[in-house]
Amino acid sequence: MKLKRILTYLVMLAVLTACGSDEPKPEDNPRTEEINPAEVTRTVVVYAVNRSSLSPDFTDDFAEMTAALQNMDLGRYQLLVYHSERDGSCGLYRSVREERSRKVVFELLRSYDASRLSTDPRRIGEVIDYALSVYPDSDYDLVFWGHGMSWYPYFSSHEVYDAPTSYSYGGEYSGPGSQQTDWTEIDELADAVPDRKFDTIWFDCCYMSGIEVIYQFRDKCSTFVGYPTEVWQYGLPYDRVLPYIMSDRHDVVGAARTFYDYYTSTGDPVTVAVTDMSAVGKVADVSRAIFASGDVRPSRGNLLNYSRSTYAPFYDLRQYLAETAAVNGRDDLVGELDAAMASMVTYHAESSRNFNLRPWDVRNISGVSTHACTGSDSPQEKYYRTLDWYREVIGGE
């Protein structure tokens, strides 16, 4: 994994001097331009679980966010960022411009009690609800920043446990110097997001372009963006991507393409997929028919696996469904499947090599992963059977 440019880090050091961990005092800070909430037309909310092993990367990403805003009209386009500070405090910040220097800085809107972890769904819900109230006439997008492992559960009570591996979303340390972590289950995370408030939800996390995640979020946004594989720890190049989103054109596919092009230029492996949530029901319908066609399932050894993990393989959804239809004598459903997938996945791109740096068959990549049920009574499989995708599609409820 590569480190970002030293220049980005130096920019961030300058930004941090403007972001204290306490409510800024007017006499201690330069005057900033007024923002009329009624004139803000597009707001991007970044919810960052950055008190984690990814903390240095958030420093870099925050610098990129600041750089992206330098030439934007902050009276129309706003960036709200929730994150933890080095002293353990956390808050929601908004982007403002200093009157004299014209520099973009971040102003604390609301601080939060650090005794409640950022992976607690109650914290996620209260931050999102407040963020939506700041510019009530604005259109909103949401970015989740942190570790990710698709639907895979941690069974958290949101007390702190030692967890060396990745589960679902989060991975927050309990405090400065701690290696104990907490995670958010994918159903909890979806429940913390209100329905139909966001145009786009973008997971800047590993493995979140899975049908189980997408289906759980089907009522939360119009467009869903995620990666079926890992993503290198530096994630989105925010300085390049945000201008596509924070504009009148709101070009999400252009943003995803820019993300892909960035990694292609570095030679690093990359995947990304943009999903039209209005078409998820079409994929669910044909998938339900395929699963109902018989109980035979394809050999997993021949399936494209997006994961390097041995305990949580994520197979390509289209390939898994097409082969399931074939082994149950329903090849006639594959055409319907392809049409439904084409309407749901409006853009996907992937490097010619996977994250093991080996060539893979890009013809079997749809940009969306899935889990192959084992039928066991393990805690993970029992949890999987509670998710909407299993209950409503595989189980046929």
Side-chain angles (χ1 to χ4, degrees):
M1 295 185 180
K2 297 181 179 179
L3 297 176
K4 286 194 173 180
R5 299 181 298 274
I6 295 175
L7 176 60
T8 303
Y9 179 71
L10 294 176
V11 171
M12 188 56 217
L13 289 178
V15 173
L16 285 176
T17 63
C19 287
S21 58
D22 299 316
E23 184 76 37
K25 298 178 182 179
E27 64 270 21
D28 294 340
N29 291 278
R31 288 177 60 85
T32 57
E33 295 181 345
E34 293 288 335
I35 295 175
N36 182 351
E39 295 179 358
V40 176
T41 60
R42 172 69 57 186
T43 303
V44 176
V45 180
V46 177
Y47 190 93
V49 179
N50 67 299
R51 194 171 66 193
S52 71
S53 61
L54 297 176
S55 179
D57 303 296
F58 180 75
T59 299
D60 291 344
D61 283 347
F62 198 20
E64 290 177 348
M65 295 173 199
T66 306
L69 301 176
Q70 292 298 335
N71 296 318
M72 287 189 189
D73 180 359
L74 300 187
R76 294 187 62 198
Y77 310 115
Q78 269 290 297
L79 182 66
L80 305 181
V81 183
Y82 170 86
H83 65 95
S84 298
E85 295 283 7
R86 292 177 179 177
D87 64 0
S89 63
C90 49
L92 180 69
Y93 297 81
R94 71 171 176 175
S95 50
V96 292
R97 195 182 304 277
E98 292 182 353
E99 283 188 348
R100 289 188 179 181
S101 69
R102 306 294 297 162
K103 291 181 179 179
V104 173
V105 295
F106 280 82
E107 173 183 82
L108 181 66
L109 283 175
R110 177 171 287 188
S111 59
Y112 294 89
D113 181 0
S115 66
R116 177 171 288 177
L117 296 175
S118 297
T119 44
D120 190 318
R122 293 171 295 178
R123 168 56 50 78
I124 298 168
E126 66 181 337
V127 170
I128 290 175
D129 287 345
Y130 177 69
L132 288 168
S133 73
V134 176
Y135 304 114
D137 298 323
S138 173
D139 294 322
Y140 273 82
D141 302 302
L142 176 63
V143 177
F144 281 114
W145 190 103
H147 283 294
M149 199 65 175
S150 190
W151 63 272
Y152 205 79
Y154 177 52
F155 306 111
S156 175
S157 62
H158 304 295
E159 298 175 359
V160 178
Y161 296 97
D162 190 17
T165 53
S166 295
Y167 301 83
S168 198
Y169 171 69
E172 179 165 69
Y173 294 146
S174 61
S178 172
Q179 297 299 307
Q180 294 180 312
T181 55
D182 189 61
W183 304 79
T184 314
E185 316 295 13
I186 202 62
D187 57 332
E188 292 180 323
L189 186 60
D191 287 345
V193 178
D195 288 354
R196 300 176 184 86
K197 294 294 186 181
F198 294 101
D199 289 340
T200 303
I201 295 179
W202 190 311
F203 274 93
D204 194 18
C205 316
C206 297
Y207 294 121
M208 300 307 272
S209 184
I211 192 61
E212 296 84 5
V213 179
I214 292 168
Y215 197 74
Q216 205 76 30
F217 276 80
R218 65 195 180 280
D219 296 323
K220 307 299 178 179
C221 59
S222 300
T223 305
F224 182 101
V225 186
Y227 324 129
T229 60
E230 297 170 63
V231 60
W232 290 134
Q233 81 268 24
Y234 36 83
L236 273 173
Y238 287 88
D239 54 333
R240 305 184 186 205
V241 168
L242 283 179
Y244 284 87
I245 300 173
M246 298 175 68
S247 69
D248 290 338
R249 57 181 174 168
H250 194 242
D251 185 1
V252 178
V253 169
R257 185 177 289 112
T258 298
F259 165 81
Y260 172 76
D261 290 344
Y262 170 78
Y263 279 92
T264 300
S265 70
T266 68
D268 291 323
V270 61
T271 60
V272 63
V274 179
T275 298
D276 179 354
M277 299 300 255
S278 69
V280 171
K282 298 176 183 177
V283 173
D285 289 343
V286 67
S287 299
R288 191 178 296 109
I290 289 172
F291 286 123
S293 67
D295 296 329
V296 184
R297 297 293 176 261
S299 170
R300 295 174 196 160
N302 297 324
L303 297 175
L304 186 140
N305 184 5
Y306 289 112
S307 173
R308 290 190 290 179
S309 167
T310 58
Y311 70 91
F314 302 118
Y315 302 111
D316 184 80
L317 175 66
R318 188 268 167 196
Q319 184 190 25
Y320 180 69
L321 290 172
E323 294 198 14
T324 297
V327 296
N328 286 284
R330 291 302 308 271
D331 293 278
D332 58 300
L333 291 173
V334 175
E336 292 182 37
L337 171 65
D338 287 342
M341 290 291 297
S343 64
M344 183 180 79
V345 184
T346 58
Y347 171 80
H348 71 91
E350 47 281 327
S351 52
S352 60
R353 294 178 182 271
N354 64 18
F355 277 73
N356 287 315
L357 303 181
R358 298 170 183 164
W360 57 351
D361 188 355
V362 295
R363 295 172 299 177
N364 283 325
I365 295 178
S366 68
V368 179
S369 71
T370 193
H371 171 64
C373 297
T374 66
S376 77
D377 284 328
S378 70
Q380 291 77 18
E381 289 293 325
K382 287 182 178 179
Y383 172 78
Y384 186 82
R385 293 195 286 269
T386 70
L387 296 176
D388 287 356
W389 177 254
Y390 181 89
R391 290 189 305 102
E392 299 182 12
V393 179
I394 301 175
E397 289 185 12

